[in-house]
Amino acid sequence: MKELKERIKQHEGFRSKVYLDSLGKRTVGFGHLCVEDFWEDDKEYDKEFLEKFFEEDFQNAVDQVENICHDYDLDITATATEVLIEMVYQLGATGVRKFKKMLEALQEQDYEGASIEMLDSRWADQTPSRAEELSLIMKDAEDN
């Protein structure tokens, strides 16, 4: 999981001040959505403080993927699970559940099909390099 956490951090980037993400939502740290009401604009937050939010967000993504796997009766490789964790970290569980054809492919353990479906999305249009990288990882997930 350490490599997965580092990959997510690399993709998310880090900002010590609240900023607006590509969808105009207030965000801070490693892509933490500012849903709590204590965040102040123009305040610089300590990285150690923001790391705690990353760990909570990461664990939430892991838990949500467990729910998705249960709900869709997915028996997938660890590598495919890690791709879903990163997708949930970025898009939320609700967003990932919209990838119906990807999830159907994963039910059949069709990792190549799932990787193709990942790229047939608005997500791939909005974050093309990340989507392409995760799609390639998913494509090879059968071997891992």
Side-chain angles (χ1 to χ4, degrees):
M1 289 285 183
K2 185 178 179 182
E3 287 179 22
L4 173 59
K5 286 181 179 182
E6 291 306 313
R7 186 177 72 216
I8 291 172
K9 286 180 176 182
Q10 180 182 356
H11 283 143
E12 291 292 333
F14 176 80
R15 296 206 193 161
S16 59
K17 291 183 178 183
V18 174
Y19 65 97
L20 296 180
D21 69 7
S22 62
L23 299 177
K25 296 182 180 181
R26 294 175 75 236
T27 308
V28 70
F30 296 101
H32 175 75
L33 195 60
C34 297
V35 293
E36 306 86 3
D37 59 5
F38 59 79
W39 298 104
E40 297 176 37
D41 293 339
D42 298 321
K43 179 178 178 179
E44 184 132 3
Y45 291 93
D46 184 63
K47 189 170 186 177
E48 195 173 294
F49 174 71
L50 296 172
E51 283 277 355
K52 293 176 187 175
F53 287 92
F54 172 79
E55 291 297 333
E56 289 175 13
D57 292 345
F58 181 83
Q59 187 57 53
N60 181 54
V62 169
D63 294 344
Q64 292 300 318
V65 168
E66 287 178 11
N67 291 338
I68 290 169
C69 288
H70 177 266
D71 292 348
Y72 287 86
D73 196 28
L74 301 181
D75 181 21
I76 56 177
T77 65
T79 299
T81 302
E82 288 181 1
V83 170
L84 290 182
I85 291 168
E86 182 163 353
M87 290 179 72
V88 168
Y89 188 95
Q90 182 185 9
L91 302 169
T94 302
V96 172
R97 287 176 185 272
K98 292 177 182 177
F99 285 74
K100 302 271 187 223
K101 291 181 180 177
M102 176 195 73
L103 294 169
E104 288 170 8
L106 289 175
Q107 287 174 323
E108 304 299 320
Q109 296 179 340
D110 176 7
Y111 299 105
E112 185 171 356
S115 74
I116 292 167
E117 295 301 335
M118 290 167 66
L119 296 177
D120 185 21
S121 66
R122 192 171 50 174
W123 168 67
D125 293 337
Q126 292 172 338
T127 54
S129 59
R130 188 176 195 172
E132 182 70 32
E133 182 180 340
L134 293 181
S135 172
L136 290 172
I137 294 169
M138 180 66 82
K139 183 178 180 179
D140 295 334
E142 186 171 11
D143 302 326
N144 298 308

